[in-house]
């Protein structure tokens, strides 16, 4: 219950930050009914992805007219920096935000939260884009598999999310434009009963979105 309340509160904060966005250079309109889509997208940032649309639906109603962002340049920069070779994927979300999914193999050694140098060019590309476009914001979300003690996994997921934000901060992105969340093993995208599934669950998801 406490976790759910915290997540809902975080959605409200995010919704308030995004409310009232206006069209900017390089942005594309998200279209009619985008309030609900925003809620679904923010639900994916804050809540269990399997329930994101339900969590976000009420939030979207207070979001107002939200403007999406043209992510093509950033996606291109991530790919050019070696993102595909590292297994990094990008997904344009229905609310106009961009999810950058980074698997553990590209980021950290098992049980550690020191960034691997191979990831630096990708993060450099993201930092460059955020420094060029001050309306961009980022949320870093850490995930683990279910192996080991829950408390350790939770702290590890927080530390990993923070490591990414710390690196971007070192490249000039103001800390006030970024936030973190650690979800431990609580938001799996694959079956933790298999080695392949656990590998998919160990990841950091970066969500980029635009504000006015």
């Amino acid at each position: 219950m406490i976790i759910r309340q915290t997540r809902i509160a975080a959605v409200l904060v995010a919704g308030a930050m995004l409310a009232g966005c206006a069209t900017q250079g390089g942005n594309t309109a998200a279209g009619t009914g985008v309030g609900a889509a925003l809620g679904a997208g923010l639900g994916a940032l804050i809540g269990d992805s399997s329930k994101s649309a339900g969590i976000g639906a009420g939030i979207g109603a207070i979001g107002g007219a939200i403007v999406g962002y043209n992510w093509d340049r950033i996606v291109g920069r991530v790919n050019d920096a070696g993102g595909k070779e590292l297994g990094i994927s990008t997904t344009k979300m229905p609310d106009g935000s961009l999810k950058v999914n980074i698997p553990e193999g590209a980021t950290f050694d098992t049980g550690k939260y020191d960034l691997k140098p191979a990831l630096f060019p990708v993060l450099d590309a993201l930092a460059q884009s955020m420094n060029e476009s001050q309306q961009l914001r980022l949320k870093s979300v850490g995930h683990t598999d279910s192996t080991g003690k829950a408390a350790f996994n939770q702290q590890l997921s927080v530390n990993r999310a923070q490591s990414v934000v710390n690196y971007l901060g070192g490249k000039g992105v103001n800390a006030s434009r970024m936030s973190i969340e650690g979800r431990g093993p609580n938001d799996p995208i694959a079956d933790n009963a298999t080695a392949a599934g656990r590998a998919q669950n160990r990841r950091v998801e970066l969500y980029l979105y635009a504000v006015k």
Side-chain angles (χ1 to χ4, degrees):
M1 180 63 71
I2 293 176
I3 294 175
R4 176 65 59 81
Q5 291 173 343
T6 300
R7 287 177 174 172
I8 291 174
V11 177
L12 290 170
V13 171
M17 290 173 61
L18 290 171
C21 291
T23 301
Q24 311 225 2
N27 289 5
T28 55
T32 305
V34 72
L38 168 70
L42 290 179
L45 305 192
I46 310 290
D48 183 334
S49 59
S50 66
K51 304 174 182 177
S52 59
I55 292 173
I59 304 302
I62 63 172
I66 302 301
V67 177
Y69 189 86
N70 186 346
W71 300 109
D72 291 346
R73 177 177 294 183
I74 295 180
V75 170
R77 284 178 171 174
V78 168
N79 292 336
D80 290 344
K84 285 188 176 181
E85 289 79 0
L86 293 173
I88 296 171
S89 62
T90 55
T91 304
K92 297 175 184 179
M93 305 298 285
D95 64 343
S97 65
L98 180 74
K99 179 173 74 172
V100 181
N101 185 69
I102 308 175
E104 181 191 57
T107 48
F108 310 99
D109 290 325
T110 302
K112 307 294 184 180
Y113 55 91
D114 298 316
L115 289 169
K116 291 183 177 180
L119 183 62
F120 294 170
V122 172
L123 296 183
D124 290 345
L126 293 178
Q128 179 183 358
S129 296
M130 292 190 71
N131 286 329
E132 290 175 352
S133 301
Q134 293 297 309
Q135 71 267 41
L136 292 180
R137 302 291 184 270
L138 176 142
K139 179 165 187 176
S140 176
V141 184
H143 302 269
T144 70
D145 63 26
S146 60
T147 303
K149 294 183 177 179
F152 175 84
N153 284 331
Q154 175 60 31
Q155 189 60 55
L156 180 62
S157 68
V158 171
N159 291 342
R160 288 180 165 184
Q162 185 67 60
S163 291
V164 174
V165 165
N166 288 347
Y167 184 91
L168 295 172
K171 295 297 179 177
V173 182
N174 193 293
S176 66
R177 298 170 58 201
M178 300 182 286
S179 61
I180 70 164
E181 181 182 351
R183 296 186 190 165
N186 299 314
D187 195 6
I189 57 174
D191 188 355
N192 272 310
T194 68
R198 291 191 295 273
Q200 291 183 59
N201 291 333
R202 299 190 298 268
R203 68 201 190 277
V204 173
E205 294 173 337
L206 305 180
Y207 292 89
L208 291 123
Y209 56 97
V211 300
K212 183 177 178 179

